[in-house]
Amino acid sequence: MSTTKSFLTSARRTIELEAEAVSNLINCLDTHFEQACAAMLNCKGRIIVTGMGKSGHIGNKIAATLASTGTPAFFVHPGEASHGDMGMFTADDVVIALSNSGETSEILTLLPLFKRIATPLISITANPTSTLSTEADFNLDIGVDTEACPLGLAPTSSTTAQLVIGDALAIALLEAKGFSAEDFAFSHPGGSLGRKLLLKVKNVMHGGDEVPKVTVGTPVNKALIEVSEKQLGMTTVVDSSGALVGIFTDGDLRRTLDQSVDLKSTMIESVMTHQCTTVSGELLAAEALQIMQSKKINALIVCDEQQKPIGALNMHDMLKAGVI
């Protein structure tokens, strides 16, 4: 039990120290942050992030966050930069260098090269008087004096603060650029958000001969054959010009059977739903799903400008496409 308590005590202490480090960042923000954002916003090339050790891992994440939120960026290991990868840096780029001490030798080695190609340099350090901080064009001081590690050795509070300041840069740029959810989805086409925001109804619907369709004057029993063959749980009903006049669903069938009508002699228009919901093929699939959920319906008809049905979809299609 005492061991369990010590685990919890250690965990709470770690979280408190790291939370304090993050909270203190607010007071560390100054004109250098604004100037760094402006330099990144006006960058004609890419944002290149570099860092050694744990700071390098954080730098990788910062570069990934920038890239996914509308600011092209990538990570370069400082050791690799000294052995050929400096060729990735150009005067059109902006460099972000992370070093808690500001004295990381692998990064200091690169400083003359950054100066030579006139690449703007942003440093993220916990020592504003360090070599890296003073040589950078803009220094972002994370102000961390105490690591959560009781030995004061393992980067903990400092790397957490680096990560948060990187997020702050990315989100500030995102808002300045007017980066939208659709833009985010474009960067994440394989994710669920991408599917929800990029897929349109025309990408999900059944089209052509797969659309169940009968004309006015069709007996109910023949309409049922169309419903069964197309397997969408309904059929569209059109007039002589091909324009939609109604829909006949499983629900309409149940109500028809309750009335004990003759399925052979009863025409479809007398038992169909006249006012049915239709959508355009250009509508986002996610919006179509919201319509289906709000109206508590399981199928939608897709019509062209002449109100002629060109497609149909149901909840199963949404599920299969990953929209749900």
Side-chain angles (χ1 to χ4, degrees):
M1 184 64 69
S2 59
T3 301
T4 302
K5 287 184 177 180
S6 64
F7 286 156
L8 294 176
T9 300
S10 177
R12 291 188 179 109
R13 175 183 171 276
T14 299
I15 293 171
E16 287 172 356
L17 286 172
E18 296 202 2
E20 181 181 357
V22 171
S23 180
N24 289 340
L25 283 175
I26 296 175
N27 298 323
C28 292
L29 297 178
D30 55 17
T31 56
H32 274 217
F33 184 88
E34 294 179 311
Q35 293 167 346
C37 287
M40 295 169 70
L41 185 63
N42 296 323
C43 178
K44 296 180 180 179
R46 306 296 176 99
I47 309 300
I48 304 179
V49 186
T50 189
M52 196 71 187
K54 304 300 185 295
S55 292
H57 295 305
I58 298 300
N60 252 309
K61 196 276 179 183
I62 291 175
T65 299
L66 287 168
S68 69
T69 53
T71 301
F74 62 92
F75 177 82
V76 173
H77 191 284
E80 297 296 335
S82 294
H83 294 276
D85 284 359
M86 267 304 298
M88 297 181 178
F89 296 79
T90 73
D92 290 332
D93 302 322
V94 171
V95 176
I96 299 177
L98 288 81
S99 170
N100 184 45
S101 67
E103 300 294 346
T104 304
S105 59
E106 290 86 353
I107 294 179
L108 297 187
T109 299
L110 305 177
L111 290 181
L113 303 177
F114 294 149
K115 298 291 185 181
R116 182 174 178 178
I117 60 177
T119 303
L121 175 61
I122 300 167
S123 62
I124 299 178
T125 75
N127 182 3
T129 62
S130 65
T131 304
L132 177 59
S133 302
T134 55
E135 290 294 324
D137 297 288
F138 318 106
N139 179 57
L140 306 184
D141 179 18
I142 59 174
V144 174
D145 296 322
T146 305
E147 297 285 5
C149 169
L151 302 176
L153 299 175
T156 45
S157 299
S158 60
T159 48
T160 300
Q162 288 174 344
L163 182 62
V164 172
I165 205 71
D167 286 343
L169 287 170
I171 300 307
L173 291 172
L174 176 152
E175 294 181 345
K177 293 180 177 182
F179 193 76
S180 66
E182 286 73 18
D183 295 325
F184 187 87
F186 185 81
S187 300
H188 301 74
S192 60
L193 180 61
R195 288 192 293 273
K196 289 181 180 179
L197 294 180
L198 295 179
L199 274 181
K200 294 185 176 181
V201 166
K202 65 182 180 182
N203 304 128
V204 180
M205 71 181 191
H206 299 269
D209 293 337
E210 293 182 354
V211 181
K213 187 183 303 181
V214 297
T215 58
V216 171
T218 300
V220 174
N221 66 323
K222 291 187 177 181
L224 289 177
I225 295 175
E226 181 72 357
V227 173
S228 177
E229 289 181 348
K230 300 302 172 63
Q231 298 182 0
L232 290 179
M234 59 83 182
T235 182
T236 61
V237 183
V238 299
D239 60 20
S240 58
S241 69
L244 183 72
V245 294
I247 185 174
F248 183 76
T249 67
D250 289 339
D252 293 316
L253 175 60
R254 287 192 294 272
R255 287 186 287 274
T256 300
L257 294 176
D258 287 341
Q259 298 170 11
S260 300
V261 300
D262 186 347
L263 300 183
K264 293 183 179 180
S265 61
T266 302
M267 299 299 108
I268 193 67
E269 60 269 23
S270 65
V271 293
M272 71 181 183
T273 298
H274 292 267
Q275 300 296 327
C276 58
T277 302
T278 64
V279 295
S280 163
E282 295 299 321
L283 188 72
L284 289 173
E287 293 180 278
L289 175 61
Q290 291 177 348
I291 292 173
M292 296 168 75
Q293 291 174 331
S294 64
K295 293 183 175 291
K296 298 181 179 180
I297 55 179
N298 292 319
L300 278 175
I301 307 302
V302 186
C303 290
D304 61 15
E305 295 179 353
Q306 287 75 44
Q307 275 301 103
K308 294 181 179 180
I310 58 172
L313 70 160
N314 57 23
M315 282 291 187
H316 179 73
D317 298 317
M318 295 290 197
L319 181 62
K320 185 178 180 180
V323 180
I324 298 178

